[in-house]
Amino acid sequence: DRHWLRYNAMAAGACVMSIDVKPHAYDPATQPELFEGVLARRVVAFVIDFIILAVPVLLAAMFIFAFGIVTLGLGFALYWLLSPATVIWALLYFGGTLGGPNSATIGMRVMDLEMRTWYGAPAYFVLGAVHAIAFWFTVSFFTPFVLLVAFFNQRRRLLHDILLGTVIINNASRASMLRGSMQGARAG
C-alpha cells in the first residue's frame, strides 16, 4: 500500500517527495494544426533573428574601425570587447523576446510561431537564454546534422528542444486559421 510505505518512510526520517509528471500539452495526432509547417517557418525565423542580431554587431565593428583610425590605432583595442558584447547581446535578445509576453523572438513572431514548455507553460527569460546557448552548443559540437532530429519525432522538436523540454508551435491565430482550413478540406 502506498500510504503505508509513505508513513514508514516518514517515520524513519526519510524525506518523501511526490513526483507529479505532467502530460504533454500538445499532441500532434489530435492538434496537427499546431505543428503544420513549423520546421520551414522556423528556418526563416532563424534567418530573420540572425540578421537582427548581426546588424548592431556590424555597426559596432564599423564604429570601432572608424574610432581606431581617428585615434591613430588606439581605438582598435576595443575589438576585444566585440565578442563578449555579441554574446551578451544574443543572450539578452533571446531571453527577452522568448521570455516576453509572446514567447517568441521577432523572427518567430513574423512567422507566427511561439515557444512553450512541453507541458504548455509560456517561456521565461532564463529558458530563452539557455535555449539559445543549447542551440549553439548542439550545432557546434554535433554538426548541423543534429538538426535532422526534427524529422524523427512527431512534434518536430530539435535536440536542444528535447533537452530543455520546449516545443515550437504555431501561435493561436495561425493554428485557428489552419484548423478551419483542415476542417474545410475534410468536409469538402
mmCIF file of all heavy atoms in Angstrom, residues 114-156:
data_model
loop_
_atom_site.group_PDB
_atom_site.id
_atom_site.type_symbol
_atom_site.label_atom_id
_atom_site.label_comp_id
_atom_site.label_asym_id
_atom_site.label_seq_id
_atom_site.Cartn_x
_atom_site.Cartn_y
_atom_site.Cartn_z
ATOM 1 N N GLU A 114 5.584 30.284 -31.732
ATOM 2 C CA GLU A 114 5.840 30.604 -30.327
ATOM 3 C C GLU A 114 6.459 29.390 -29.653
ATOM 4 O O GLU A 114 6.287 28.259 -30.102
ATOM 5 C CB GLU A 114 4.581 31.048 -29.609
ATOM 6 C CG GLU A 114 3.486 30.034 -29.542
ATOM 7 C CD GLU A 114 2.217 30.595 -28.903
ATOM 8 O OE1 GLU A 114 1.980 31.810 -28.946
ATOM 9 O OE2 GLU A 114 1.459 29.777 -28.357
ATOM 10 N N MET A 115 7.182 29.649 -28.574
ATOM 11 C CA MET A 115 7.812 28.576 -27.828
ATOM 12 C C MET A 115 7.044 28.347 -26.527
ATOM 13 O O MET A 115 6.691 29.297 -25.840
ATOM 14 C CB MET A 115 9.273 28.914 -27.508
ATOM 15 C CG MET A 115 9.987 27.798 -26.775
ATOM 16 S SD MET A 115 11.760 28.022 -26.658
ATOM 17 C CE MET A 115 11.858 29.104 -25.246
ATOM 18 N N ARG A 116 6.808 27.088 -26.217
ATOM 19 C CA ARG A 116 6.144 26.693 -24.982
ATOM 20 C C ARG A 116 6.945 25.565 -24.343
ATOM 21 O O ARG A 116 7.701 24.883 -25.005
ATOM 22 C CB ARG A 116 4.723 26.190 -25.246
ATOM 23 C CG ARG A 116 3.810 27.231 -25.834
ATOM 24 C CD ARG A 116 3.406 28.201 -24.783
ATOM 25 N NE ARG A 116 2.489 29.193 -25.336
ATOM 26 C CZ ARG A 116 2.306 30.356 -24.789
ATOM 27 N NH1 ARG A 116 2.932 30.703 -23.700
ATOM 28 N NH2 ARG A 116 1.482 31.218 -25.327
ATOM 29 N N THR A 117 6.735 25.378 -23.051
ATOM 30 C CA THR A 117 7.306 24.203 -22.418
ATOM 31 C C THR A 117 6.472 23.002 -22.842
ATOM 32 O O THR A 117 5.341 23.158 -23.326
ATOM 33 C CB THR A 117 7.293 24.332 -20.888
ATOM 34 O OG1 THR A 117 5.947 24.476 -20.455
ATOM 35 C CG2 THR A 117 8.138 25.516 -20.428
ATOM 36 N N TRP A 118 6.992 21.796 -22.673
ATOM 37 C CA TRP A 118 6.275 20.606 -23.118
ATOM 38 C C TRP A 118 4.934 20.442 -22.416
ATOM 39 O O TRP A 118 4.031 19.812 -22.936
ATOM 40 C CB TRP A 118 7.136 19.355 -22.961
ATOM 41 C CG TRP A 118 7.542 19.076 -21.546
ATOM 42 C CD1 TRP A 118 8.626 19.590 -20.896
ATOM 43 C CD2 TRP A 118 6.877 18.247 -20.612
ATOM 44 N NE1 TRP A 118 8.659 19.117 -19.609
ATOM 45 C CE2 TRP A 118 7.603 18.288 -19.407
ATOM 46 C CE3 TRP A 118 5.728 17.457 -20.659
ATOM 47 C CZ2 TRP A 118 7.228 17.579 -18.282
ATOM 48 C CZ3 TRP A 118 5.360 16.758 -19.533
ATOM 49 C CH2 TRP A 118 6.114 16.822 -18.359
ATOM 50 N N TYR A 119 4.786 21.040 -21.248
ATOM 51 C CA TYR A 119 3.513 20.926 -20.536
ATOM 52 C C TYR A 119 2.618 22.143 -20.761
ATOM 53 O O TYR A 119 1.578 22.274 -20.126
ATOM 54 C CB TYR A 119 3.732 20.668 -19.040
ATOM 55 C CG TYR A 119 4.659 21.635 -18.348
ATOM 56 C CD1 TYR A 119 4.195 22.814 -17.801
ATOM 57 C CD2 TYR A 119 6.019 21.356 -18.259
ATOM 58 C CE1 TYR A 119 5.043 23.703 -17.173
ATOM 59 C CE2 TYR A 119 6.883 22.240 -17.633
ATOM 60 C CZ TYR A 119 6.389 23.399 -17.089
ATOM 61 O OH TYR A 119 7.258 24.280 -16.481
ATOM 62 N N GLY A 120 3.001 23.058 -21.645
ATOM 63 C CA GLY A 120 2.120 24.135 -22.069
ATOM 64 C C GLY A 120 2.377 25.513 -21.514
ATOM 65 O O GLY A 120 1.732 26.470 -21.916
ATOM 66 N N ALA A 121 3.296 25.656 -20.582
ATOM 67 C CA ALA A 121 3.568 26.973 -19.986
ATOM 68 C C ALA A 121 4.350 27.849 -20.963
ATOM 69 O O ALA A 121 5.118 27.349 -21.783
ATOM 70 C CB ALA A 121 4.362 26.806 -18.684
ATOM 71 N N PRO A 122 4.181 29.167 -20.895
ATOM 72 C CA PRO A 122 4.978 30.058 -21.747
ATOM 73 C C PRO A 122 6.445 30.052 -21.306
ATOM 74 O O PRO A 122 6.776 29.683 -20.179
ATOM 75 C CB PRO A 122 4.341 31.430 -21.530
ATOM 76 C CG PRO A 122 3.572 31.318 -20.267
ATOM 77 C CD PRO A 122 3.215 29.883 -20.078
ATOM 78 N N ALA A 123 7.304 30.451 -22.217
ATOM 79 C CA ALA A 123 8.735 30.512 -21.921
ATOM 80 C C ALA A 123 9.015 31.684 -20.982
ATOM 81 O O ALA A 123 8.189 32.582 -20.824
ATOM 82 C CB ALA A 123 9.522 30.676 -23.212
ATOM 83 N N TYR A 124 10.176 31.670 -20.369
ATOM 84 C CA TYR A 124 10.608 32.735 -19.472
ATOM 85 C C TYR A 124 12.053 33.088 -19.817
ATOM 86 O O TYR A 124 12.701 32.405 -20.619
ATOM 87 C CB TYR A 124 10.453 32.321 -18.006
ATOM 88 C CG TYR A 124 10.935 30.932 -17.705
ATOM 89 C CD1 TYR A 124 12.238 30.688 -17.288
ATOM 90 C CD2 TYR A 124 10.083 29.833 -17.861
ATOM 91 C CE1 TYR A 124 12.678 29.418 -17.030
ATOM 92 C CE2 TYR A 124 10.523 28.561 -17.607
ATOM 93 C CZ TYR A 124 11.819 28.349 -17.186
ATOM 94 O OH TYR A 124 12.249 27.079 -16.943
ATOM 95 N N PHE A 125 12.557 34.193 -19.253
ATOM 96 C CA PHE A 125 13.845 34.756 -19.657
ATOM 97 C C PHE A 125 14.979 33.737 -19.632
ATOM 98 O O PHE A 125 15.708 33.576 -20.613
ATOM 99 C CB PHE A 125 14.206 35.958 -18.773
ATOM 100 C CG PHE A 125 15.494 36.624 -19.188
ATOM 101 C CD1 PHE A 125 15.488 37.630 -20.130
ATOM 102 C CD2 PHE A 125 16.709 36.220 -18.654
ATOM 103 C CE1 PHE A 125 16.670 38.238 -20.531
ATOM 104 C CE2 PHE A 125 17.903 36.808 -19.049
ATOM 105 C CZ PHE A 125 17.865 37.826 -19.987
ATOM 106 N N VAL A 126 15.150 33.052 -18.521
ATOM 107 C CA VAL A 126 16.271 32.115 -18.393
ATOM 108 C C VAL A 126 16.132 30.978 -19.398
ATOM 109 O O VAL A 126 17.119 30.568 -20.021
ATOM 110 C CB VAL A 126 16.372 31.578 -16.944
ATOM 111 C CG1 VAL A 126 17.418 30.489 -16.835
ATOM 112 C CG2 VAL A 126 16.685 32.714 -15.987
ATOM 113 N N LEU A 127 14.931 30.476 -19.595
ATOM 114 C CA LEU A 127 14.717 29.412 -20.571
ATOM 115 C C LEU A 127 15.070 29.894 -21.981
ATOM 116 O O LEU A 127 15.682 29.157 -22.755
ATOM 117 C CB LEU A 127 13.273 28.914 -20.524
ATOM 118 C CG LEU A 127 12.923 27.773 -21.466
ATOM 119 C CD1 LEU A 127 13.741 26.531 -21.160
ATOM 120 C CD2 LEU A 127 11.437 27.464 -21.395
ATOM 121 N N GLY A 128 14.708 31.126 -22.319
ATOM 122 C CA GLY A 128 15.045 31.671 -23.628
ATOM 123 C C GLY A 128 16.545 31.791 -23.843
ATOM 124 O O GLY A 128 17.068 31.441 -24.901
ATOM 125 N N ALA A 129 17.254 32.284 -22.822
ATOM 126 C CA ALA A 129 18.703 32.425 -22.931
ATOM 127 C C ALA A 129 19.380 31.059 -23.010
ATOM 128 O O ALA A 129 20.277 30.843 -23.840
ATOM 129 C CB ALA A 129 19.242 33.223 -21.749
ATOM 130 N N VAL A 130 18.956 30.122 -22.181
ATOM 131 C CA VAL A 130 19.548 28.778 -22.198
ATOM 132 C C VAL A 130 19.197 28.060 -23.496
ATOM 133 O O VAL A 130 19.999 27.280 -24.024
ATOM 134 C CB VAL A 130 19.095 27.973 -20.963
ATOM 135 C CG1 VAL A 130 19.536 26.528 -21.040
ATOM 136 C CG2 VAL A 130 19.644 28.620 -19.702
ATOM 137 N N HIS A 131 18.039 28.337 -24.054
ATOM 138 C CA HIS A 131 17.640 27.748 -25.333
ATOM 139 C C HIS A 131 18.623 28.161 -26.428
ATOM 140 O O HIS A 131 19.031 27.330 -27.245
ATOM 141 C CB HIS A 131 16.212 28.193 -25.684
ATOM 142 C CG HIS A 131 15.596 27.419 -26.790
ATOM 143 N ND1 HIS A 131 15.639 27.846 -28.095
ATOM 144 C CD2 HIS A 131 14.918 26.239 -26.796
ATOM 145 C CE1 HIS A 131 15.000 26.975 -28.858
ATOM 146 N NE2 HIS A 131 14.553 25.986 -28.083
ATOM 147 N N ALA A 132 19.009 29.423 -26.444
ATOM 148 C CA ALA A 132 19.985 29.895 -27.438
ATOM 149 C C ALA A 132 21.341 29.232 -27.218
ATOM 150 O O ALA A 132 21.990 28.794 -28.177
ATOM 151 C CB ALA A 132 20.118 31.412 -27.359
ATOM 152 N N ILE A 133 21.777 29.144 -25.970
ATOM 153 C CA ILE A 133 23.065 28.508 -25.669
ATOM 154 C C ILE A 133 23.034 27.038 -26.091
ATOM 155 O O ILE A 133 23.971 26.546 -26.729
ATOM 156 C CB ILE A 133 23.391 28.629 -24.166
ATOM 157 C CG1 ILE A 133 23.654 30.083 -23.799
ATOM 158 C CG2 ILE A 133 24.583 27.764 -23.787
ATOM 159 C CD1 ILE A 133 23.698 30.353 -22.311
ATOM 160 N N ALA A 134 21.957 26.337 -25.765
ATOM 161 C CA ALA A 134 21.851 24.918 -26.113
ATOM 162 C C ALA A 134 21.843 24.729 -27.626
ATOM 163 O O ALA A 134 22.455 23.780 -28.137
ATOM 164 C CB ALA A 134 20.591 24.315 -25.488
ATOM 165 N N PHE A 135 21.178 25.625 -28.353
ATOM 166 C CA PHE A 135 21.184 25.523 -29.812
ATOM 167 C C PHE A 135 22.597 25.636 -30.347
ATOM 168 O O PHE A 135 23.045 24.798 -31.138
ATOM 169 C CB PHE A 135 20.292 26.605 -30.434
ATOM 170 C CG PHE A 135 20.465 26.707 -31.924
ATOM 171 C CD1 PHE A 135 19.899 25.765 -32.754
ATOM 172 C CD2 PHE A 135 21.210 27.736 -32.490
ATOM 173 C CE1 PHE A 135 20.066 25.841 -34.130
ATOM 174 C CE2 PHE A 135 21.376 27.821 -33.857
ATOM 175 C CZ PHE A 135 20.802 26.874 -34.689
ATOM 176 N N TRP A 136 23.323 26.668 -29.939
ATOM 177 C CA TRP A 136 24.659 26.872 -30.480
ATOM 178 C C TRP A 136 25.617 25.757 -30.073
ATOM 179 O O TRP A 136 26.463 25.335 -30.857
ATOM 180 C CB TRP A 136 25.197 28.245 -30.076
ATOM 181 C CG TRP A 136 24.470 29.336 -30.800
ATOM 182 C CD1 TRP A 136 23.593 30.228 -30.271
ATOM 183 C CD2 TRP A 136 24.508 29.624 -32.204
ATOM 184 N NE1 TRP A 136 23.090 31.048 -31.244
ATOM 185 C CE2 TRP A 136 23.633 30.700 -32.437
ATOM 186 C CE3 TRP A 136 25.194 29.069 -33.282
ATOM 187 C CZ2 TRP A 136 23.428 31.223 -33.706
ATOM 188 C CZ3 TRP A 136 24.991 29.603 -34.538
ATOM 189 C CH2 TRP A 136 24.116 30.667 -34.742
ATOM 190 N N PHE A 137 25.477 25.242 -28.848
ATOM 191 C CA PHE A 137 26.337 24.133 -28.428
ATOM 192 C C PHE A 137 26.033 22.858 -29.204
ATOM 193 O O PHE A 137 26.943 22.170 -29.655
ATOM 194 C CB PHE A 137 26.216 23.874 -26.921
ATOM 195 C CG PHE A 137 27.180 24.678 -26.115
ATOM 196 C CD1 PHE A 137 26.734 25.762 -25.385
ATOM 197 C CD2 PHE A 137 28.534 24.369 -26.094
ATOM 198 C CE1 PHE A 137 27.622 26.534 -24.641
ATOM 199 C CE2 PHE A 137 29.420 25.132 -25.353
ATOM 200 C CZ PHE A 137 28.969 26.215 -24.623
ATOM 201 N N THR A 138 24.759 22.517 -29.360
ATOM 202 C CA THR A 138 24.437 21.280 -30.076
ATOM 203 C C THR A 138 24.843 21.360 -31.540
ATOM 204 O O THR A 138 25.370 20.392 -32.083
ATOM 205 C CB THR A 138 22.941 20.931 -29.964
ATOM 206 O OG1 THR A 138 22.151 22.014 -30.457
ATOM 207 C CG2 THR A 138 22.552 20.589 -28.545
ATOM 208 N N VAL A 139 24.637 22.500 -32.169
ATOM 209 C CA VAL A 139 25.021 22.633 -33.571
ATOM 210 C C VAL A 139 26.548 22.666 -33.714
ATOM 211 O O VAL A 139 27.103 22.110 -34.657
ATOM 212 C CB VAL A 139 24.367 23.888 -34.202
ATOM 213 C CG1 VAL A 139 24.938 24.184 -35.562
ATOM 214 C CG2 VAL A 139 22.875 23.692 -34.297
ATOM 215 N N SER A 140 27.239 23.292 -32.758
ATOM 216 C CA SER A 140 28.703 23.383 -32.829
ATOM 217 C C SER A 140 29.372 22.037 -32.577
ATOM 218 O O SER A 140 30.307 21.665 -33.281
ATOM 219 C CB SER A 140 29.224 24.395 -31.816
ATOM 220 O OG SER A 140 28.727 25.672 -32.106
ATOM 221 N N PHE A 141 28.912 21.308 -31.562
ATOM 222 C CA PHE A 141 29.578 20.065 -31.195
ATOM 223 C C PHE A 141 29.117 18.864 -32.010
ATOM 224 O O PHE A 141 29.886 17.942 -32.243
ATOM 225 C CB PHE A 141 29.393 19.771 -29.704
ATOM 226 C CG PHE A 141 30.168 20.705 -28.824
ATOM 227 C CD1 PHE A 141 29.531 21.444 -27.852
ATOM 228 C CD2 PHE A 141 31.539 20.863 -28.983
ATOM 229 C CE1 PHE A 141 30.239 22.313 -27.048
ATOM 230 C CE2 PHE A 141 32.254 21.740 -28.184
ATOM 231 C CZ PHE A 141 31.602 22.460 -27.216
ATOM 232 N N PHE A 142 27.876 18.846 -32.411
ATOM 233 C CA PHE A 142 27.344 17.685 -33.110
ATOM 234 C C PHE A 142 27.111 17.932 -34.594
ATOM 235 O O PHE A 142 26.458 17.130 -35.242
ATOM 236 C CB PHE A 142 26.039 17.232 -32.454
ATOM 237 C CG PHE A 142 26.182 16.859 -31.023
ATOM 238 C CD1 PHE A 142 25.454 17.516 -30.051
ATOM 239 C CD2 PHE A 142 27.057 15.862 -30.633
ATOM 240 C CE1 PHE A 142 25.581 17.176 -28.718
ATOM 241 C CE2 PHE A 142 27.185 15.512 -29.303
ATOM 242 C CZ PHE A 142 26.450 16.175 -28.340
ATOM 243 N N THR A 143 27.616 19.026 -35.124
ATOM 244 C CA THR A 143 27.462 19.447 -36.518
ATOM 245 C C THR A 143 26.014 19.790 -36.814
ATOM 246 O O THR A 143 25.107 19.370 -36.086
ATOM 247 C CB THR A 143 27.959 18.404 -37.536
ATOM 248 O OG1 THR A 143 27.015 17.350 -37.654
ATOM 249 C CG2 THR A 143 29.331 17.878 -37.197
ATOM 250 N N PRO A 144 25.778 20.515 -37.876
ATOM 251 C CA PRO A 144 24.386 20.859 -38.224
ATOM 252 C C PRO A 144 23.506 19.642 -38.521
ATOM 253 O O PRO A 144 22.293 19.754 -38.563
ATOM 254 C CB PRO A 144 24.539 21.742 -39.457
ATOM 255 C CG PRO A 144 25.880 22.369 -39.302
ATOM 256 C CD PRO A 144 26.731 21.297 -38.668
ATOM 257 N N PHE A 145 24.111 18.472 -38.711
ATOM 258 C CA PHE A 145 23.293 17.276 -38.947
ATOM 259 C C PHE A 145 22.391 16.948 -37.764
ATOM 260 O O PHE A 145 21.436 16.196 -37.894
ATOM 261 C CB PHE A 145 24.185 16.071 -39.278
ATOM 262 C CG PHE A 145 24.832 16.179 -40.627
ATOM 263 C CD1 PHE A 145 26.210 16.188 -40.733
ATOM 264 C CD2 PHE A 145 24.074 16.287 -41.781
ATOM 265 C CE1 PHE A 145 26.813 16.296 -41.960
ATOM 266 C CE2 PHE A 145 24.667 16.397 -43.027
ATOM 267 C CZ PHE A 145 26.047 16.403 -43.119
ATOM 268 N N VAL A 146 22.707 17.513 -36.594
ATOM 269 C CA VAL A 146 21.865 17.296 -35.417
ATOM 270 C C VAL A 146 20.460 17.859 -35.649
ATOM 271 O O VAL A 146 19.503 17.438 -35.005
ATOM 272 C CB VAL A 146 22.524 17.894 -34.158
ATOM 273 C CG1 VAL A 146 22.390 19.395 -34.141
ATOM 274 C CG2 VAL A 146 21.939 17.309 -32.908
ATOM 275 N N LEU A 147 20.334 18.774 -36.578
ATOM 276 C CA LEU A 147 19.024 19.355 -36.876
ATOM 277 C C LEU A 147 18.093 18.330 -37.522
ATOM 278 O O LEU A 147 16.884 18.529 -37.560
ATOM 279 C CB LEU A 147 19.179 20.579 -37.779
ATOM 280 C CG LEU A 147 20.027 21.715 -37.204
ATOM 281 C CD1 LEU A 147 20.188 22.829 -38.224
ATOM 282 C CD2 LEU A 147 19.428 22.245 -35.916
ATOM 283 N N LEU A 148 18.654 17.221 -38.017
ATOM 284 C CA LEU A 148 17.838 16.168 -38.621
ATOM 285 C C LEU A 148 16.963 15.449 -37.592
ATOM 286 O O LEU A 148 16.032 14.738 -37.966
ATOM 287 C CB LEU A 148 18.739 15.161 -39.339
ATOM 288 C CG LEU A 148 19.524 15.704 -40.525
ATOM 289 C CD1 LEU A 148 20.459 14.638 -41.072
ATOM 290 C CD2 LEU A 148 18.595 16.219 -41.607
ATOM 291 N N VAL A 149 17.239 15.648 -36.320
ATOM 292 C CA VAL A 149 16.427 15.041 -35.251
ATOM 293 C C VAL A 149 14.958 15.412 -35.429
ATOM 294 O O VAL A 149 14.068 14.609 -35.128
ATOM 295 C CB VAL A 149 16.957 15.500 -33.866
ATOM 296 C CG1 VAL A 149 16.014 15.111 -32.751
ATOM 297 C CG2 VAL A 149 18.339 14.944 -33.623
ATOM 298 N N ALA A 150 14.692 16.577 -35.942
ATOM 299 C CA ALA A 150 13.315 17.051 -36.094
ATOM 300 C C ALA A 150 12.492 16.170 -37.036
ATOM 301 O O ALA A 150 11.274 16.102 -36.908
ATOM 302 C CB ALA A 150 13.305 18.482 -36.594
ATOM 303 N N PHE A 151 13.148 15.486 -37.946
ATOM 304 C CA PHE A 151 12.406 14.647 -38.888
ATOM 305 C C PHE A 151 12.019 13.292 -38.296
ATOM 306 O O PHE A 151 11.307 12.523 -38.927
ATOM 307 C CB PHE A 151 13.228 14.441 -40.165
ATOM 308 C CG PHE A 151 13.445 15.710 -40.932
ATOM 309 C CD1 PHE A 151 14.701 16.271 -41.023
ATOM 310 C CD2 PHE A 151 12.383 16.369 -41.535
ATOM 311 C CE1 PHE A 151 14.902 17.447 -41.720
ATOM 312 C CE2 PHE A 151 12.573 17.546 -42.229
ATOM 313 C CZ PHE A 151 13.838 18.086 -42.321
ATOM 314 N N PHE A 152 12.500 13.003 -37.102
ATOM 315 C CA PHE A 152 12.260 11.701 -36.495
ATOM 316 C C PHE A 152 11.379 11.752 -35.248
ATOM 317 O O PHE A 152 11.337 10.796 -34.486
ATOM 318 C CB PHE A 152 13.600 11.031 -36.163
ATOM 319 C CG PHE A 152 14.444 10.810 -37.387
ATOM 320 C CD1 PHE A 152 15.523 11.627 -37.647
ATOM 321 C CD2 PHE A 152 14.135 9.804 -38.285
ATOM 322 C CE1 PHE A 152 16.290 11.439 -38.779
ATOM 323 C CE2 PHE A 152 14.898 9.607 -39.418
ATOM 324 C CZ PHE A 152 15.975 10.426 -39.672
ATOM 325 N N ASN A 153 10.690 12.865 -35.027
ATOM 326 C CA ASN A 153 9.728 12.936 -33.930
ATOM 327 C C ASN A 153 8.511 13.713 -34.404
ATOM 328 O O ASN A 153 8.608 14.606 -35.230
ATOM 329 C CB ASN A 153 10.355 13.528 -32.655
ATOM 330 C CG ASN A 153 10.758 14.962 -32.802
ATOM 331 O OD1 ASN A 153 9.907 15.846 -32.769
ATOM 332 N ND2 ASN A 153 12.056 15.219 -32.953
ATOM 333 N N GLN A 154 7.354 13.352 -33.886
ATOM 334 C CA GLN A 154 6.097 13.925 -34.362
ATOM 335 C C GLN A 154 5.934 15.402 -34.047
ATOM 336 O O GLN A 154 5.246 16.109 -34.774
ATOM 337 C CB GLN A 154 4.919 13.163 -33.764
ATOM 338 C CG GLN A 154 4.782 11.760 -34.283
ATOM 339 C CD GLN A 154 3.599 11.062 -33.664
ATOM 340 O OE1 GLN A 154 3.266 11.298 -32.509
ATOM 341 N NE2 GLN A 154 2.944 10.203 -34.431
ATOM 342 N N ARG A 155 6.546 15.858 -32.984
ATOM 343 C CA ARG A 155 6.407 17.265 -32.598
ATOM 344 C C ARG A 155 7.417 18.154 -33.295
ATOM 345 O O ARG A 155 7.487 19.342 -33.038
ATOM 346 C CB ARG A 155 6.523 17.395 -31.076
ATOM 347 C CG ARG A 155 5.330 16.832 -30.355
ATOM 348 C CD ARG A 155 5.459 16.964 -28.849
ATOM 349 N NE ARG A 155 4.292 16.414 -28.200
ATOM 350 C CZ ARG A 155 4.146 15.133 -27.890
ATOM 351 N NH1 ARG A 155 5.107 14.277 -28.139
ATOM 352 N NH2 ARG A 155 3.044 14.721 -27.317
ATOM 353 N N ARG A 156 8.244 17.584 -34.133
ATOM 354 C CA ARG A 156 9.267 18.314 -34.907
ATOM 355 C C ARG A 156 10.215 19.096 -33.997
ATOM 356 O O ARG A 156 10.621 20.204 -34.304
ATOM 357 C CB ARG A 156 8.628 19.237 -35.930
ATOM 358 C CG ARG A 156 7.747 18.521 -36.927
ATOM 359 C CD ARG A 156 8.579 17.591 -37.762
ATOM 360 N NE ARG A 156 7.805 16.970 -38.823
ATOM 361 C CZ ARG A 156 7.865 15.683 -39.111
ATOM 362 N NH1 ARG A 156 8.637 14.895 -38.418
ATOM 363 N NH2 ARG A 156 7.154 15.184 -40.075
#
